[in-house]
Amino acid sequence: FNCRLCLRFVVRERNAFLSLLKRLNLLAPEINENLLLSSARFDLSMLSGAGALAYSEEATLQIIAADLHLPILSLRDKEFLARCEISEFSSMIQPDFCLEQQVLPLKRTDSGFLVVFANPMNIEAKKALEFMLQGIVTVGVAPAGEIEALLKR
């Protein structure tokens, strides 16, 4: 396990996410980017709580999903959740990994697996999930709070 390599991935991911937020004009104008990059957590929930976003977390997520052509998944929709196979993945992926990365595998698809991400720019989590699940991960997005609520049930 190489901590420097891991740190390099985290920095690269944060910079890519910050670049996306800037390109889409989603950051509040008075925000200190260096302070954001140095914080322990770097996700939409944290940015929203810190007043760093120009819009609400949900509106920001919708803009990002539209830009990246990703589906927004409602984890509050009981009919949708009834069609998911969340419990099937508990033996394949540690819940701590899912909480830390803010991801949740939902179901098998014809091409692999549908996984919901709070941060769709989290490429390293996507790669790790593809390794753990031994298949292609299709990314959907949902607010971090909805993912955390399901993981803690």
Side-chain angles (χ1 to χ4, degrees):
F1 183 73
N2 185 332
C3 286
R4 275 189 231 155
L5 183 62
C6 182
L7 183 59
R8 207 172 335 150
F9 285 134
V10 169
V11 169
R12 186 173 54 198
E13 176 190 311
R14 285 182 178 206
N15 285 329
F17 192 45
L18 185 60
S19 294
L20 176 70
L21 293 172
K22 288 188 328 190
R23 180 175 60 80
L24 297 174
N25 295 314
L26 296 174
L27 290 175
E30 66 281 349
I31 207 64
N32 180 338
E33 293 175 19
N34 290 328
L35 183 62
L36 290 179
L37 288 171
S38 65
S39 69
R41 274 185 66 197
F42 191 77
D43 55 57
L44 289 180
S45 293
M46 183 281 295
L47 295 172
S48 178
L53 297 176
Y55 306 99
S56 71
E57 181 181 352
E58 282 85 18
T60 301
L61 192 61
Q62 288 177 353
I63 294 167
I64 291 170
D67 184 73
L68 299 175
H69 306 286
L70 297 172
I72 296 178
L73 304 172
S74 174
L75 301 182
R76 295 181 192 161
D77 181 347
K78 292 182 183 188
E79 288 180 30
F80 172 73
L81 289 177
R83 295 188 308 269
C84 294
E85 305 144 355
I86 297 169
S87 61
E88 177 185 332
F89 301 104
S90 60
S91 65
M92 302 165 87
I93 300 170
Q94 293 294 318
D96 289 344
F97 173 83
C98 292
L99 273 171
E100 182 181 306
Q101 299 298 321
Q102 297 181 317
V103 298
L104 181 64
L106 297 176
K107 62 182 177 178
R108 293 181 186 274
T109 64
D110 292 339
S111 61
F113 301 89
L114 175 61
V115 179
V116 67
F117 284 68
N119 173 4
M121 299 292 290
N122 191 344
I123 303 303
E124 296 310 313
K126 182 177 186 267
K127 289 178 184 176
L129 285 164
E130 288 178 334
F131 176 77
M132 287 184 263
L133 296 169
Q134 295 295 295
I136 296 170
V137 166
T138 300
V139 175
V141 294
E146 290 183 22
I147 294 172
E148 289 175 21
L150 277 178
L151 286 168
K152 291 181 178 179
R153 284 199 307 178

